[in-house]
Amino acid sequence: QVQLVESGGGLVQAGGSLRLSCAASGRTSFSNYDMGWFRQAPGKEREFVAAISWNGGNTVYSDSVKGRFTISRDNAKKMVYLQMNSLKPEDTAVYYCAADREHSDLYYSDSYDYWGQGTQVTVSS
């Protein structure tokens, strides 16, 4: 198993930046997992944001964040990051970190086995 804890959320003005972090812990080697970021806005379904393969060799993004957000990981530190630039009010949501041990389709939330508790990101206009 792996436990995930997100941090770095907050309130930022449109056009600003935030960096989210996700710390992993547990007995299983962190490098066994593909990692993803999802978000959920009030009244909306959880949606895919970005994901990174176990060795960092493959990254994918939703069209809504491509070119503005960057996902990265440090396996030695058991950390995943989401650098968010040029933030927009529509990026406001709770952001979740998730881990996939089966190397499934990175875009789908059902592929992920473990989830963090989420961190709130609010972008004001």
Side-chain angles (χ1 to χ4, degrees):
Q1 283 194 348
V2 63
Q3 292 78 45
L4 304 172
V5 178
E6 302 95 336
S7 61
L11 173 64
V12 64
Q13 289 188 334
S17 298
L18 282 174
R19 187 195 195 202
L20 304 185
S21 299
C22 173
S25 61
R27 292 185 175 183
T28 306
S29 175
F30 178 66
S31 60
N32 287 347
Y33 297 87
D34 296 333
M35 300 297 296
W37 286 96
F38 289 76
R39 67 187 182 186
Q40 188 167 19
K44 295 186 177 181
E45 294 187 354
R46 188 172 296 185
E47 66 171 353
F48 171 78
V49 175
I52 187 167
S53 60
W54 64 275
N55 63 352
N58 182 37
T59 57
V60 291
Y61 299 91
S62 68
D63 288 343
S64 62
V65 307
K66 196 173 296 182
R68 300 188 297 122
F69 291 11
T70 303
I71 188 171
S72 61
R73 67 188 295 163
D74 184 332
N75 284 347
K77 295 182 179 180
K78 298 185 178 181
M79 297 290 295
V80 179
Y81 306 99
L82 185 68
Q83 178 66 44
M84 306 186 296
N85 298 329
S86 302
L87 282 161
K88 304 175 181 180
E90 51 263 43
D91 294 319
T92 295
V94 177
Y95 283 70
Y96 298 90
C97 173
D100 168 23
R101 63 186 175 187
E102 301 295 335
H103 307 296
S104 308
D105 192 318
L106 296 176
Y107 290 92
Y108 293 99
S109 60
D110 287 349
S111 298
Y112 294 82
D113 305 287
Y114 304 103
W115 293 81
Q117 83 291 346
T119 186
Q120 176 71 47
V121 171
T122 303
V123 184
S124 63
S125 57

